[in-house]
Amino acid sequence: MSPRTSEQFAVIREQKTALIMETALELFAHGGYFSTTISDIAKKAGISKGLLYNYFESKEALLRAIIQKSVNEVYQYLDIDHDGSLTGKEFTFFIRRFDELLKDKRYFWQLFSQLLMQKDVREELIKAYSSAGPHSLIAGRHSPDQVREMFTTYFSTKLQNGKTVEPGVMLALFRTVLIGYVITSVYEDQPDPNREKMLEYIIDYFK
């Protein structure tokens, strides 16, 4: 048997990384982040504990990787022209693509939402992103603070009932509505016939 090439090793590493992260997410969501051990993850993934540590130095690093991957997957559709600002067209595109992600990866977003409902995990997320510097990029382009500023600037140009709005309040409202939409979408037993209409209302209100 010929030795593996560097490309084959890269594929294997990518596959193992995905397996570990998917296994960890499922265990974190169902059993709780702090109750789940590295040994639990390795056993369910069918690999040794030592091999797992070759991919992730700690359970905390694994959690950060899961969160970062999830955030990157969503925000790759933000600021599609890479100019650091958000237009109405880009906002609509972002919401539409996010909705497609919810449909295509429903089980993943169920698990991820369960993970983020854990108080201690939310606190870890806040700590991680509050201390994020310019090197901590979302989708390779923007830091968390830059994304927040992008939305705040976008909402500062909006009017509701002919009046200017407080962009910080509008951002908080948008986040609340979006979270509610995510929870409703990924846990519905049957497709909601009003889903498209709800999505249009969200776009119209915040666009």
Side-chain angles (χ1 to χ4, degrees):
M1 181 182 295
S2 59
R4 290 192 175 107
T5 65
S6 58
E7 289 79 7
Q8 289 173 322
F9 276 116
V11 170
I12 292 171
R13 185 168 185 83
E14 184 177 339
Q15 291 172 341
K16 288 291 186 185
T17 300
L19 171 64
I20 293 169
M21 291 174 68
E22 289 166 6
T23 302
L25 175 59
E26 186 170 359
L27 291 177
F28 289 163
H30 291 159
Y33 170 69
F34 286 97
S35 298
T36 301
T37 66
I38 286 290
S39 296
D40 294 332
I41 298 167
K43 181 178 180 180
K44 186 170 180 60
I47 62 176
S48 70
K49 185 176 177 180
L51 179 60
L52 192 152
Y53 277 120
N54 284 336
Y55 288 84
F56 298 96
E57 63 182 17
S58 65
K59 189 172 71 168
E60 292 76 13
L62 184 47
L63 175 63
R64 287 195 299 270
I66 291 170
I67 292 173
Q68 190 69 54
K69 180 179 182 296
S70 306
V71 171
N72 283 348
E73 188 166 13
V74 172
Y75 283 106
Q76 66 180 308
Y77 302 112
L78 185 67
D79 187 26
I80 52 178
D81 63 2
H82 305 178
D83 67 351
S85 63
L86 195 60
T87 66
K89 182 178 180 180
E90 287 175 320
F91 178 82
T92 300
F93 177 80
F94 169 70
I95 296 297
R96 288 287 182 187
R97 287 303 301 143
F98 182 51
D99 185 55
E100 289 300 319
L101 280 177
L102 296 180
K103 292 175 183 176
D104 295 342
K105 298 188 175 183
R106 185 166 176 257
Y107 182 61
F108 168 85
W109 287 103
Q110 284 181 357
L111 294 178
F112 192 64
S113 63
Q114 289 176 44
L115 176 63
L116 292 186
M117 284 179 187
Q118 298 173 37
K119 181 176 181 292
D120 291 331
V121 171
R122 287 201 308 274
E123 291 176 351
E124 287 296 317
L125 175 63
I126 291 170
K127 282 195 297 184
Y129 279 93
S130 64
S131 61
H135 61 285
S136 303
L137 300 183
I138 289 177
R141 294 197 300 271
H142 305 299
S143 72
D145 285 343
Q146 288 171 328
V147 170
R148 186 162 46 249
E149 179 64 24
M150 193 184 305
F151 272 108
T152 301
T153 301
Y154 175 71
F155 287 132
S156 70
T157 67
K158 303 294 110 180
L159 295 175
Q160 290 294 336
N161 299 321
K163 299 178 180 178
T164 57
V165 299
E166 294 181 51
V169 174
M170 186 63 93
L171 177 57
L173 177 60
F174 172 65
R175 184 168 54 239
T176 300
V177 170
L178 205 59
I179 290 172
Y181 183 79
V182 170
I183 299 300
T184 301
S185 298
V186 300
Y187 286 105
E188 59 189 10
D189 294 326
Q190 298 294 330
D192 190 333
N194 296 315
R195 178 170 179 152
E196 175 59 26
K197 185 61 68 175
M198 286 191 293
L199 196 65
E200 289 178 2
Y201 283 164
I202 292 172
I203 291 172
D204 288 345
Y205 186 84
F206 291 103
K207 180 180 176 182

